[in-house]
Amino acid sequence: MRHLRFLLTCTTALAAIWLLLANLHVAPVSAASPQGGSVVINEFFVRGTAGNLDWVELHNPTGAPIDVTGWYVDDAAACGAGTSFLGATMLPAGGHLAITEGDAGANFGLNTTGEPIILCTGSHTLVNRIAYGNVGGAPLHSAGLTTARVGAAQDTGDDAADFNLTITATKGTVNNVPTTNLGNSLVINEVDITQVVGNDAIEIYNPTGAAVDLLGWSITDGSALTTFIQTLIVPANGYVTLVNGTHFSFSLAANDVLHLLNPSGVRVDQLGWGAEVEDNCFARVPDGAGPHNGYNFPTSGGNTTLLDQPC
């Protein structure tokens, strides 16, 4: 009998809880209210001139409009320094908003080697953060290109995989950008930036079982982009050395990042070496070793799979 009374008591209590939940009224969330990281930094252009200024594009990938009134974009490490804010602005569902240097909400002037870009609310709450060039994984473009999110414009937290160089700028519209496929094709395997004799050199390694022709491939360090216009075969499991002045047209700097793109514009590898002084050559050990999303010596596997050793 004691067990029966206990079961009846439990059943009554459960019924009361279900009744309470059934009558509970949950206030709907305003579709236009700020939604944390739902708005993303979607595309940006660096190296502006008097008639061609830096700009940053925002995108709302959600199915509801978002009120971004009072928000701001800055090129700082953290929110709090914004002094130029967006006016009354509603970012439509799936919409884009390009903010140009000098506009309201544009307290930035983007660095030509790399830095963070942040999106903050008027109360200095971080909404989205990316970093490019030699301080983050997103590639720095050469003149005429922009850097834009690939795929569905979602932020995975890996800027190297989330961003690529555009084919054409798409300011204020849907991105037109190839995808990324880092570490699954040819590899930037070794670089020599402080040679005693000769020019800067880049070694490309082919870890696959089939030869690859570099005709139509491109390589860039963000300052310039070279597209190979001659047949240059990288043998299966073999190497090709590219020399500045013969194969590519830019000089490698002490704090630099290289990006390798196939003929379709898919970025297949990147390697950075900033924060380390080169004595010999920076080389992947063993050949082709990752990481393939680094932007300086530590993030590229420094002292683990990226070594400063005799060329």
Side-chain angles (χ1 to χ4, degrees):
M1 182 63 70
R2 182 181 303 128
H3 293 303
L4 179 59
R5 285 198 300 271
F6 175 75
L7 289 172
L8 289 172
T9 301
C10 291
T11 302
T12 302
L14 287 171
I17 292 171
W18 281 112
L19 181 62
L20 177 63
L21 291 173
N23 289 280
L24 182 64
H25 175 70
V26 179
V29 176
S30 170
S33 62
Q35 299 181 24
S38 53
V39 177
V40 296
I41 297 165
N42 195 53
E43 186 175 359
F44 60 93
F45 176 76
V46 190
R47 227 173 261 109
T49 61
N52 197 17
L53 299 173
D54 299 343
W55 52 265
V56 175
E57 179 196 77
L58 309 180
H59 174 54
N60 173 9
T62 76
I66 296 177
D67 187 355
V68 296
T69 300
W71 293 20
Y72 61 93
V73 170
D74 202 357
D75 56 341
C79 298
T83 58
S84 186
F85 302 91
L86 292 171
T89 305
M90 191 70 71
L91 190 53
H96 300 79
L97 174 64
I99 305 171
T100 302
E101 180 185 3
D103 288 350
N107 185 42
F108 60 83
L110 299 179
N111 192 295
T112 57
T113 57
E115 63 182 342
I117 306 175
I118 56 175
L119 172 64
C120 308
T121 68
S123 59
H124 307 300
T125 298
L126 181 67
V127 177
N128 193 225
R129 180 191 187 278
I130 68 167
Y132 66 91
N134 55 27
V135 298
L140 178 63
H141 57 77
S142 58
L145 299 178
T146 63
T147 304
R149 285 192 186 273
V150 303
Q154 299 296 327
D155 191 343
T156 70
D158 183 353
D159 291 340
D162 288 352
F163 284 87
N164 198 11
L165 305 177
T166 60
I167 296 172
T168 56
T170 52
K171 184 179 183 180
T173 62
V174 176
N175 289 352
N176 176 22
V177 58
T179 187
T180 57
N181 189 29
L182 298 170
N184 293 296
S185 184
L186 299 184
V187 175
I188 302 163
N189 201 50
E190 188 172 348
V191 295
D192 184 6
I193 66 172
T194 57
Q195 62 292 110
V196 177
V197 178
N199 297 331
D200 296 343
I202 303 168
E203 179 188 84
I204 303 297
Y205 171 60
N206 179 4
T208 75
V212 175
D213 187 352
L214 284 178
L215 178 66
W217 286 66
S218 299
I219 195 163
T220 179
D221 72 339
S223 65
L225 181 144
T226 293
T227 299
F228 304 116
I229 58 174
Q230 63 192 61
T231 292
L232 193 61
I233 303 298
V234 190
N237 302 303
Y239 313 83
V240 157
T241 298
L242 308 175
V243 178
N244 181 23
T246 301
H247 302 103
F248 61 94
S249 59
F250 50 86
S251 297
L252 303 179
N255 188 7
D256 219 338
V257 190
L258 279 174
H259 303 274
L260 183 64
L261 301 93
N262 71 18
S264 297
V266 176
R267 201 165 90 265
V268 302
D269 196 32
Q270 70 181 50
L271 179 70
W273 53 85
E276 179 72 10
V277 177
E278 183 198 73
D279 297 311
N280 298 284
C281 279
F282 293 124
R284 295 188 189 267
V285 181
D287 290 326
H292 297 278
N293 60 352
Y295 51 86
N296 58 19
F297 190 70
T299 59
S300 293
N303 294 322
T304 303
T305 56
L306 182 65
L307 305 180
D308 186 352
Q309 64 176 30
C311 301

